Amino acid sequence: MTTPDSLAAAAAKAPGATDPTARQFAGERPAFAPELLAPPPAFAPEAARRDVPALHRSVNGQPLVWLDNGATTHKPRQVIEAVAGFYGAGNSNIHRGAHTMAREATEAYEAGRAAVARFLGAASPDEIVFVRGTTEAVNLVAQSWGRANLGPGDDILVPVLEHHSNIVPWQLVAKETRARVVPVPLRPDGQIDLDAYADRLSVRTRLVALSQASNVLGTVPPVAEMTALAHRYRARVLVDGAQAVAHFPVDVRALDADFYVFSGHKLFAPTGIGALYAKPELLAAMAPWQGGGNMIESVSFDRTDYAPVPHRLEAGTGHIAGVVGLLAAVTWLTGFDREAVAAYEAGLLEHARQALAGVPGLDVIGDAPERIAVLAFTLAGHDPAAVAAWLDRDGIAVRAGHHCAQPALAHYGLDSAVRASLALYNTPEEVDRLAASLRRMQRSG
Ligand code: PMP
């Protein structure tokens, strides 16, 4: 069984685990400063757990084990207090009204935009549009950019791995514009087949829509390389970061993504808030997809002038408290050493793989070398829904079903699987409880 020590060792070997000290002193060993050569402090999940009240409740008489982070994450008290504080004392609509509270709410909202821009490595807050979440962001791009830029005979490349939110909006706009949605197949281990991807790219390709981390297999594809290749064909690339943002640092400019989308609720923030990043030249050319207040310069029955982006794409009153919560969540998460968090999660994933390997009849689906801490599996002789119900009786929350990724499961001849999705606040002991409960289920017949 893996101990926390071996976790740390696995973490050190993990992809993305870089040692800043080693980087700083590459090639030299200053004997006068041995403390600088020590490894960076490892991340301890307790540092995050103590902030998250929901993790301390019990379910069905057992301490909760929350392994459904792919569906949504729990919220640290910093987020809960920020939202409560906004409604308790700061509540006002924004961008209008010449009073103090409107000004304060506007400042908080725009501070949230600036924080998201920094979080994603965008050049300016003006490149960030607030939306309800990933789904709305993809639909916004499909309906605004897509309608203007797609036409008959154009291809939209979508890996089979994608969440339905990154498939169906493209099917809708393809139908309207007579473009085609072209699936990019998977290899048996759950990686995108890059040869097939290269084959399918052509001058007809207008867009590649791919996720930076799969919600069902955990696969992390080589997004920067795939984007560079797409750009050789002058195709645009939309990156779905819904599952990535909570797990490792993102830099939209290093990826050279044209669009990047994510949901706050998978990032320890409230539901109903998320963001779209787009390159400024693309945003500037995007027509409104919804009309209403907040997105106009002036309105008359003869002529309506729109506000500049990003406001042009944010019709109506937004989720102001959600932005306040998102700002608190980003501040909370970035308060940790994110490389250390990624290394910790990689070690935790390795621990989970070893623990689940000891469960008779358990098959993990997919085995991509680069992945986030998500494990989908089947258990011989048991329906995934029955597995989830059994685990729930032990206080362990996992998801069972198609995970809104039916084509990815169909690739394995499945229509349903169990999924354990881990976050920085999960521990090896929780993973051991999962494995022990599954072993008991197998023994019970
Ligand atoms: N893409 C991926 C990869 C996801 O995991 C999810 C949520 N499971 C979505 C898109 C959709 O996110 P939301 O429901 O928050 O819009």
Side-chain angles (χ1 to χ4, degrees), residues 70-72 132-138 161-166 211-216 240-244 261-266 272-273 399 403-404 419:
T72 201
R132 277 194 299 134
T134 307
T135 304
E136 189 172 65
V138 178
L161 201 52
E162 294 308 302
H163 189 279
H164 297 165
S165 292
N166 203 20
S211 56
Q212 202 182 7
S214 154
N215 69 309
V216 56
D240 171 351
Q243 295 293 339
V261 301
F262 76 90
S263 301
H265 71 100
K266 296 181 200 286
I273 187 67
R399 175 135 303 201
H403 311 293
C404 299
R419 179 188 69 184

Side-chain angles (χ1 to χ4, degrees), residues 35 60 62 93 129 235 249 279 310 321 330 335 348 401:
E35 72 280 7
N60 296 325
Q62 303 288 334
N93 211 327
V129 181
K279 284 184 179 163
V330 165
L348 191 61

Side-chain angles (χ1 to χ4, degrees), residues 7 10-17 340-353 371-373:
L7 265 187
K13 283 189 288 183
V341 169
Y344 170 74
E345 288 187 19
L348 191 61
L349 172 65
E350 192 45 43
H351 178 80
R353 283 152 65 103
R371 57 196 296 174
I372 53 166

Side-chain angles (χ1 to χ4, degrees), residues 137 169 175 374:
K175 196 161 179 202
V374 167

Side-chain angles (χ1 to χ4, degrees), residues 46-228:
E46 288 69 29
R49 288 185 80 75
R50 62 170 169 249
D51 287 338
V52 183
L55 297 177
H56 302 283
R57 64 166 282 181
S58 58
V59 167
N60 296 325
Q62 303 288 334
L64 169 67
V65 174
W66 183 260
L67 302 180
D68 197 16
N69 296 288
T72 201
T73 51
H74 283 300
K75 318 306 173 201
R77 68 183 156 68
Q78 289 85 339
V79 170
I80 299 166
E81 285 167 11
V83 173
F86 175 76
Y87 283 128
N91 181 51
S92 169
N93 211 327
I94 53 168
H95 299 305
R96 59 171 95 106
H99 57 73
T100 301
M101 287 175 69
R103 219 165 26 249
E104 287 173 358
T106 306
E107 278 167 19
Y109 193 79
E110 294 307 328
R113 200 189 300 278
V116 169
R118 275 195 306 278
F119 181 69
L120 296 181
S124 155
D126 292 344
E127 297 164 4
I128 305 298
V129 181
F130 284 124
V131 287
R132 277 194 299 134
T134 307
T135 304
E136 189 172 65
V138 178
N139 278 279
L140 190 169
V141 176
Q143 292 303 316
S144 175
W145 180 88
R147 278 177 194 229
N149 289 282
L150 296 169
D154 288 345
D155 286 349
I156 306 163
L157 264 53
V158 180
V160 163
L161 201 52
E162 294 308 302
H163 189 279
H164 297 165
S165 292
N166 203 20
I167 300 175
V168 182
W170 305 118
Q171 292 175 328
L172 288 170
V173 72
K175 196 161 179 202
E176 281 174 38
T177 58
R178 310 223 325 272
R180 287 195 312 172
V181 175
V182 178
V184 181
L186 284 181
R187 297 190 350 194
D189 66 357
Q191 293 191 71
I192 295 172
D193 183 334
L194 295 178
D195 293 333
Y197 172 64
D199 281 351
R200 279 159 179 72
L201 276 171
S202 77
V203 290
R204 287 191 310 276
T205 312
R206 284 280 163 282
L207 183 81
V208 176
L210 84 162
S211 56
Q212 202 182 7
S214 154
N215 69 309
V216 56
L217 303 182
T219 309
V220 175
V223 171
E225 290 77 2
M226 291 177 72
T227 300

